[in-house]
Amino acid sequence: ALEKSVELDSANLYEAVRARAAQGPSTTLRAVQVAGKAPKPASVAAAIPGCDVGALVRGWAARGTCEPSAADAVCALLAGGPPSLLQSALFVCLGGTSEMCPAKLLLALGAAVVVVARPGAKLQGLVQWVEGGGPGPEGLGPAAGRLILPARAGPGEEAPSVSAAGCDVLSEAPELAAWLVHLDDPAGPDAGVVGALAAPEPGARHLVVGSYGYLDGEAHVRLSCAMDAVMSAAVDARAPGATSAAFLASPATALVVPEEAAADAAARY
């Protein structure tokens, strides 16, 4: 029914998701967590021991792949300690097992990360990496953060297990939005799981919601609408300024760039 509403009129989807989020916490989804075993890294570079990121971005700048200022910013970030936002925010990754999602990097950096993805081998593989305490993929160090997942309790269970984790954004957007909006509410049903992340009042903690899911063909349009509806509902329902939205940049998107970047691109064309 949700997918059909997206096909017919996307406004129906946004209205349904926003209305459900405003009604109160989810009645079907509960939070489960897996804590990383590694100590939090002293620097961003320490979380990526298998890759010289500084040399990589400087090479990109030299070849014109990115602007020199971008490389300078990355190198400055690598040299310093993890940003304070990593400790104060709750990062939500919609499509959290996709290849371009930063969930693993955030976990290696010691952040609290909510991963929303469909049940299956990819999601359980992420759980096993966090639980195992070993090095991560693509040069990452071990997980030092906390992985939080939506899950459903089975028959006779008071609380869900990690093996039951997973949620389909495309078909469960209204209930997912209700779960996310009230996730850090100290009086909410997930207060015992979120624990130290709970804010003094509902919506006071900063939530960073990223849209990273991908599906082939027309399904991606419907998924994008569902993710955007969830993000919009979170922004609307929570306190002003308490929620940020994150997106992956696309080569097909027209963006404003500095004059020197435009000139360099024209010279290399």
Side-chain angles (χ1 to χ4, degrees), residues 93-233:
C93 297
L94 304 178
T97 57
S98 63
E99 289 297 323
M100 296 294 287
C101 178
K104 292 177 182 177
L105 174 59
L106 290 167
L107 287 165
L109 287 167
V113 184
V114 177
V115 167
V116 178
R118 291 178 292 187
K122 292 178 70 174
L123 183 59
Q124 289 304 314
L126 178 64
V127 170
Q128 290 168 10
W129 167 60
V130 175
E131 288 181 328
E138 292 88 41
L140 290 177
R146 297 171 63 189
L147 173 63
I148 299 172
L149 305 163
R152 288 179 178 79
E157 293 181 337
E158 293 186 4
S161 65
V162 174
S163 62
C167 177
D168 191 337
V169 181
L170 188 58
S171 60
E172 302 176 79
E175 204 64 26
L176 173 60
W179 179 73
L180 284 176
V181 164
H182 301 278
L183 179 60
D184 62 345
D185 185 344
D190 289 317
V193 173
V194 178
L197 295 173
E201 57 185 1
R205 179 162 295 283
H206 198 80
L207 208 67
V208 181
V209 186
S211 175
Y212 307 108
Y214 180 83
L215 292 174
D216 290 333
E218 53 79 30
H220 184 65
V221 178
R222 293 187 279 113
L223 176 61
S224 296
C225 287
M227 291 189 296
D228 190 60
V230 170
M231 297 169 76
S232 297

Side-chain angles (χ1 to χ4, degrees), residues 26-103:
S26 170
T27 56
T28 60
L29 296 175
R30 290 292 178 269
V32 294
Q33 71 167 330
V34 181
K37 297 180 179 178
K40 293 182 179 179
S43 67
V44 174
I48 321 173
C51 179
D52 188 344
V53 178
L56 185 66
V57 296
R58 286 192 292 270
W60 288 347
R63 294 190 298 272
T65 304
C66 70
E67 298 168 45
S69 60
D72 292 343
V74 171
C75 289
L77 181 65
L78 291 169
S84 59
L85 182 63
L86 288 173
Q87 310 306 320
S88 62
L90 186 58
F91 295 87
V92 178
C93 297
L94 304 178
T97 57
S98 63
E99 289 297 323
M100 296 294 287
C101 178

